[in-house]
């Protein structure tokens, strides 16, 4: 099937994934920092205390790989339904919350556990099952869902909260997540029984993961992802407060958050096109290294609107590329039958890095009272992490997909992974 023919044929899978992710857990990176100043003011928390909210991403270490494996076995629709219910419930819980920071962290942790079923680990599998030649741009279009919501919704949400209060803001989000989530589920195209046997995991987990862990690509992707994800502590919860500390106004910071979301969209689309045409390891190294420039701009003494907005956009470009790069590399080196499980492990690496980054950020905020030390340190770490992806171009780094197929065939289960996993070496 031709490049554009795939996009025309599988439009329902693309739209379902984009809408589902745009109403799922991934929108937290655009909305949490908007709520943060209001929560801190109402409850009297310090900025260093609120930074610890990011440590809840540690739960990703335990739940995302498990959810990924379940998705490999039982499909997207069943798993996504859990999150479509959980996300509105969690937003309502936030809207009625009264208490200390620990209770808020507990609600956020539960949202992460159940809301992970609305993340790329689950929804992007719809693309992995169906696309080959247009896989990069298809993954990019799907990943743009949360960024489109962030770009269009961040200024509107900020204005809505200033007018109606943060509690009503969370309730409005609950209504949105319910409607959009149900629409996404209704658009998911069904798989026939024979198609499901072809793309879903068939072998024992122990045997599959033994091959996965022995592949050098696994260590490269995990370590590189970890180092490039430590600045996620800024992306998720602290972006607006960091900008306010640099002299931005509340309205200006909200506009910069919009430019951040636009950067995410541009990063994903450009990276998706590049992955379909250029060596994936070089695209990964360049795109994952972009935050360094953005972090250095923010840390510089130049605090004009356009300097800060440019730094934020560069961070957004990298975050946009990251989602596409990880999904593409996992599909390239590990195949569709274990796609969600391996992607879940990569997402877990992001969660661990974000949690560690939150602890370090909290400590540096308490010690210095500003974000600069953390921002500069992250810039150096990202440079090292992005350089590791160049190693994926070595001949010793092989693909696991074909070996998994052979093992499944040898145990008399359908092991053909189809063109989506064997078309590109």
């Amino acid at each position: 099937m031709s490049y554009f023919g795939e996009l025309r044929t599988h439009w329902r899978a693309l739209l379902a994934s984009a809408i589902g992710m745009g109403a799922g857990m991934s929108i937290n990176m655009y909305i949490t920092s908007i709520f943060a100043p209001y929560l801190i003011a109402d409850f009297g928390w310090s900025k260093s205390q609120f930074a610890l909210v990011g440590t809840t991403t540690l739960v990703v270490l335990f739940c995302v790989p498990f959810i990924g494996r379940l998705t490999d076995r039982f499909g997207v629709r069943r798993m996504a339904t859990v999150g479509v219910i959980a996300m509105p419930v969690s937003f309502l819980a936030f809207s009625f919350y009264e208490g200390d920071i620990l209770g808020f962290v507990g609600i956020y942790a539960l949202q992460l556990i159940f809301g992970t079923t609305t993340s790329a680990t689950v929804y992007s599998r719809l693309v992995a099952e169906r696309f080959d030649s247009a896989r990069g741009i298809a993954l990019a279009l799907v990943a743009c869902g949360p960024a489109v919501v962030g770009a269009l919704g961040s200024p509107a949400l900020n204005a809505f909260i200033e007018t109606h209060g943060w509690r009503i803001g969370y309730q409005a989000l609950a209504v949105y997540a319910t409607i959009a989530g149900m629409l996404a589920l209704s658009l998911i195209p069904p798989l026939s029984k024979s198609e499901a046997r072809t793309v879903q995991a068939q072998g024992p987990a122990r045997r599959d993961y033994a091959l996965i862990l022995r592949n050098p690509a696994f260590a490269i992707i995990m370590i590189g992802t970890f180092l490039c994800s430590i600045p996620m502590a800024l992306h998720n919860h602290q972006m607006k407060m960091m900008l306010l500390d640099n002299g931005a106004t509340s309205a200006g910071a909200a506009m910069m958050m919009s430019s951040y979301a636009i950067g995410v969209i541009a990063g994903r689309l450009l990276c998706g096109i590049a992955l379909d045409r250029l060596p994936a390891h070089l695209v990964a190294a360049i795109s994952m290294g972009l935050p360094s420039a953005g972090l250095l701009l923010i840390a510089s003494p130049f605090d004009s609107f356009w300097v800060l907005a440019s730094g934020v956009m560069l961070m957004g470009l990298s975050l946009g590329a990251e989602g596409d790069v990880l999904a593409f590399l996992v599909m390239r080196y590990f195949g569709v039958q274990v796609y969600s499980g391996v992607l879940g492990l990569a997402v877990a690496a992001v969660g661990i890095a974000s949690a560690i980054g939150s602890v370090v950020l909290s400590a540096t905020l308490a010690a210095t009272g500003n974000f600069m030390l953390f921002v500069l340190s992250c810039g150096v770490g990202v440079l090292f992490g992005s350089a590791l992806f160049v190693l994926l171009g070595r001949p010793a780094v092989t693909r696991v997909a074909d070996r998994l197929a052979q093992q499944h065939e040898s145990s008399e289960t359908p092991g053909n992974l189809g063109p989506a996993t064997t078309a590109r070496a």
Side-chain angles (χ1 to χ4, degrees):
M1 189 178 297
S2 68
Y3 189 86
F4 292 104
E6 284 188 344
L7 297 172
R8 288 192 298 268
T9 300
H10 302 302
W11 68 269
R12 280 187 60 184
L14 279 176
L15 190 58
S17 300
I19 293 174
M21 288 181 60
M25 189 184 71
S26 298
I27 64 172
N28 276 338
M29 70 182 65
Y30 305 102
I31 64 173
T32 304
S33 65
I34 292 176
F35 283 95
Y38 304 98
L39 294 168
I40 288 172
D42 273 12
F43 293 115
W45 302 332
S46 68
K47 288 186 292 185
S48 61
Q49 282 180 312
F50 194 78
L52 293 175
V53 173
T55 62
T56 56
T57 55
L58 279 174
V59 302
V60 173
L61 171 65
F62 303 102
C63 69
V64 175
F66 179 66
I67 288 170
R69 184 64 182 181
L70 289 177
T71 306
D72 287 333
R73 295 301 297 266
F74 300 112
V76 173
R77 186 189 299 275
R78 293 180 182 178
M79 300 305 299
T81 300
V82 175
V84 168
I85 296 171
M87 290 302 295
V89 171
S90 64
F91 287 136
L92 287 175
F94 284 133
S95 75
F96 292 109
Y97 182 71
E98 294 279 1
D100 60 19
I101 189 70
L102 293 180
F104 186 89
V105 168
I107 297 173
Y108 193 76
L110 289 173
Q111 185 188 65
L112 285 180
I113 293 171
F114 294 102
T116 297
T117 58
T118 61
S119 68
T121 302
V122 175
Y123 275 118
S124 68
R125 186 179 172 85
L126 294 175
V127 171
E129 292 170 348
R130 293 166 173 83
F131 284 82
D132 176 21
S133 60
R135 184 185 304 149
I137 190 61
L139 287 168
L141 290 171
V142 166
C144 282
V148 169
V149 173
L152 299 177
S154 291
L157 180 61
N158 187 75
F160 185 86
I161 292 171
E162 288 187 350
T163 302
H164 301 285
W166 63 268
R167 295 185 186 276
I168 304 299
Y170 271 125
Q171 291 169 18
L173 283 173
V175 174
Y176 161 74
T178 300
I179 295 172
M182 294 299 293
L183 178 60
L185 290 178
S186 70
L187 285 170
I188 294 176
L191 288 173
S192 67
K193 290 184 178 180
S194 61
E195 288 172 331
R197 285 195 300 269
T198 298
V199 300
Q200 290 177 357
Q202 303 293 323
R206 179 179 299 179
R207 186 178 64 183
D208 288 349
Y209 283 104
L211 275 177
I212 290 166
L213 294 174
R214 286 199 297 267
N215 191 330
F218 182 79
I220 293 169
I221 292 171
M222 293 300 117
I223 297 172
T225 298
F226 175 86
L227 290 174
C228 291
S229 299
I230 292 175
M232 286 294 290
L234 296 172
H235 290 263
N236 283 346
H237 310 107
Q238 304 292 324
M239 184 74 75
K240 184 175 181 180
M241 288 189 290
M242 178 182 66
L243 294 171
L244 292 175
D245 275 6
N246 275 269
T249 64
S250 179
M255 290 299 296
M256 291 176 202
M257 291 295 294
S258 183
S259 75
Y260 169 79
I262 292 170
V264 171
I265 296 170
R268 282 179 174 158
L269 293 176
L270 292 172
C271 185
I273 294 169
L275 286 169
D276 286 333
R277 291 166 171 78
L278 301 172
H281 63 286
L282 296 181
V283 175
I286 294 170
S287 57
M288 298 290 276
L290 285 176
S292 293
L295 291 166
L296 290 174
L297 277 175
I298 293 171
S300 74
F302 305 103
D303 292 335
S304 71
F305 176 88
W306 292 111
V307 169
L308 293 176
S310 298
V312 168
M313 181 171 282
L314 284 170
M315 293 176 68
L317 282 169
S318 177
L319 182 67
E322 178 183 275
D324 202 11
V325 163
L326 290 181
F328 191 94
L329 293 178
V330 167
M331 189 65 183
R332 165 70 63 86
Y333 291 101
F334 300 99
V336 69
Q337 292 194 2
V338 294
Y339 170 83
S340 292
V342 179
L343 185 59
L345 291 171
V347 173
V350 174
I352 296 169
S354 179
I356 292 175
S358 295
V359 173
V360 175
L361 175 58
S362 179
T364 55
L365 282 172
T368 67
N370 61 63
F371 290 86
M372 291 307 102
L373 177 59
F374 181 78
V375 168
L376 289 171
S377 300
C378 285
V380 175
V382 168
L383 279 178
F384 280 104
S386 61
L388 288 176
F389 288 96
V390 176
L391 300 178
L392 289 173
R394 296 182 305 161
V397 180
T398 58
R399 298 172 68 244
V400 172
D402 297 328
R403 294 185 184 179
L404 289 172
Q406 293 169 2
Q407 286 193 350
H408 295 158
E409 288 171 352
S410 69
S411 55
E412 298 183 349
T413 58
N416 177 22
L417 298 184
T421 49
T422 58
R424 290 195 296 270

